[in-house]
Amino acid sequence: MSDIVVTLPDGSELQMEEGSTVEDVAYEIGPGLGKDTVAGAVDGDLVDKATPLSEDCELVIVTEQSDEYVDVLRHSAAHVFAQALQRLHPEAKLAIGPWTDEGFYYDISGVELDSEDLAAIEDEAHDIIEEDLAIERTEKSREEAFDIYEDNPYKQDILDTEAAGEDPISFYEQGEFFDLCKGPHVESTGEIGGFAVLETSAAYWRGDEENETLTRVYGTAFPTESELDQYLERREQAAKRDHRKLGRELDLFSIPDVTGPGLPLYHPNGKRILDELSTYVADLNLDAGYEPVETPHLFRTELWQKSGHYDNYVDDMFLLDVNDEEYGLKPMNCPGHATIFDQHSWSYRDLPVRYFEDGKVYRKEQRGELSGLSRVWAFTIDDGHLFVRPDQIRAEVDTIMEMIFEVLETFDLDYSVALATRPEKSVGSDEIWERAESQLESVLEASEMDYRLEEGDGAFYGPKIDFAFEDALGREWDGPTVQLDFNMPERFDLEYVTKENERERPVMIHRALYGSYERFFMVLIEHFDGKFPFWLSPEQVRVLPVSDDNLGYAHRVANELDDFRTEVEDRSWTVGRKIQQAHDDRVPYMIIVGGNEEEAGTISVRDRKEREEKDVSLESFCDHLRSEREEKRTDPDFLA
């Protein structure tokens, strides 16, 4: 057998005999590492330590100290759940049970589970963990595998697809339980320190709406009980901040069944916030030399064929027939902006040309993946597209990055940065992609910014710098982005005249300062727990008359505050109840007026942190509100 080259994380290389396993490589490095090996990551994919290596590869040896270890542990926890389920409900049919960033899930059918059932399954799973059952890899012939699963169409589907042509078939056994699986897994169920069953939802088999609806059971697992407790505490806090819950309580948005899935309706409170966000980002764009444009929601699919979206994105598009012509709701704004650029003749002196638009786009996500504002069918991107000369790329990207950082600082958001490179499904030559990737990498390196490399996660037309926001559970959500595109100018035959009177392609830069308004709004709702900064709050001041006798003065005070979003609480409640309601509604400031205030011509000011000051002049309060709004402070500070 010939030798293969195994490249380790430190860049060193080992010559190994073809067919050597991950564990063999670990023992070649050292007996201690060999003994501690749990699994391997071959070219980024987690595999069992007994997996043979058939070609040159990059290899990470996974031990209990590795970041990847928790994924392996959670994969085993999914099997523990399935074993507990079948002990209590042998009629249940198992589909798939992968690990996730937060734990694991298992798709099942043939059984209905309520909260009591889930609690019983969790108890049984803890018993299985206590039994410390060895988890062992075995192999069965393909014929045996089909016989085992003769009544399980999901496992048969897996045998016909992912495991097509394989013989023998990989299984994992623990006690009386076994499951069709490629692994990897930990050595025994006892390694799972913390285990919890969380919730259920509906899911389509293979994510296809045409297939049967299954029950998806979510769970999580950690090496220790204390790590699980910390996670459950974070999850409880995150549930209180859930944007769907706060969206209802604060009357921000709704997604009723009658409108269709993933199609949010923004109520007056939510629309006021969106308008403030739009005005803020429009000011940034205008100050940076962008010009506003607008494109329609619908285009002939000829445009999407020209841009490359039809070949690379058609499964995610909404298509319709109009007078025997095919049209598509736009999944992106960039082809429209490229077409606008193409309506003019340009000189090198005219560039850069910068367009911006709050453009509504539509993407046909699977219904099971839709969730609040985090994943929807219709959403709005604060889109910007620049057409620049090659020598202008660096300066323009630097300026965009400065704009993004201003946004992040204004909202006091934590973020991470990634450089996403060419995906498997893409357009353009290797030379174009290498050029674009090196340009963005040089910007990140020059800024000395911490970033991670996400290979294969770029757009189909070019690489990108992505910013991601972290929520209360540590999950990351896409945010601002900067993307270089050498391909669309080629596809649209875009040109400008150079100084030498020659025609040359501009470079197209795609960028968004928020990402999408929907996801950014979701992040803000949860980040601020609905307690929006004064300048964003749909209601900024609420005037609370102590009694109905003070209603006239309350309205006169409100009239003096007509520069702000002000309401008068005119219900005949006690002042204590009025204060509590305003607090629950997250109103930044309350003005309390009674007989003393009316006689003195002053106000009492209270904020949502329950701080209060009496005998305040209305003029000084208004002056403060104007400065707080102008400076876009993140928290009310009149009484700080």
Side-chain angles (χ1 to χ4, degrees), residues 12 75 103 119 175 178 283 316 353 392 398 411 419 431 515 550 573 585:
S12 60
H75 194 188
F178 59 86
D283 288 343
D316 298 310
V353 172
Q392 295 171 323
D398 283 342
F411 296 99
L419 174 61
E431 180 183 358
N550 309 118
W573 290 351
D585 291 341

Side-chain angles (χ1 to χ4, degrees), residues 218-230:
Y218 291 93
T220 193
F222 291 88
T224 65
E225 191 72 33
S226 63
E227 289 174 285
L228 173 64
D229 291 341
Q230 291 171 12

Side-chain angles (χ1 to χ4, degrees), residues 29-43:
I29 297 170
L33 182 62
K35 182 179 179 182
D36 292 340
T37 297
V38 175
V42 178
D43 294 331

Side-chain angles (χ1 to χ4, degrees), residues 30 49 67 84 115 165 177 185 216 243 273 293 296 299 331-332 336-337 377 403 461 497 501 596 615 619 635:
K49 64 183 180 182
D67 292 339
S115 58
F177 176 78
H185 289 281
R216 177 167 292 179
H243 75 286
I273 295 173
V293 296
F299 288 98
M332 296 180 184
H337 291 191
W377 274 356
M403 296 169 72
Y461 49 76
V497 178
N501 205 32
N596 293 335
D615 298 322
E619 182 180 3
D635 215 23

Side-chain angles (χ1 to χ4, degrees), residues 94-97 106 146 149 152-160 179-180 205:
L94 302 176
I96 57 172
Y106 218 116
F146 271 103
Y149 292 121
N152 188 322
Y154 314 110
K155 298 297 187 183
Q156 288 194 8
D157 189 5
I158 294 170
L159 288 168
D160 283 333
D179 201 1
L180 168 67
W205 173 236

Side-chain angles (χ1 to χ4, degrees), residues 92 132 165 209 253 501 607 624:
D132 194 19
E209 297 177 23
F253 71 92
N501 205 32
D607 67 17
H624 171 82

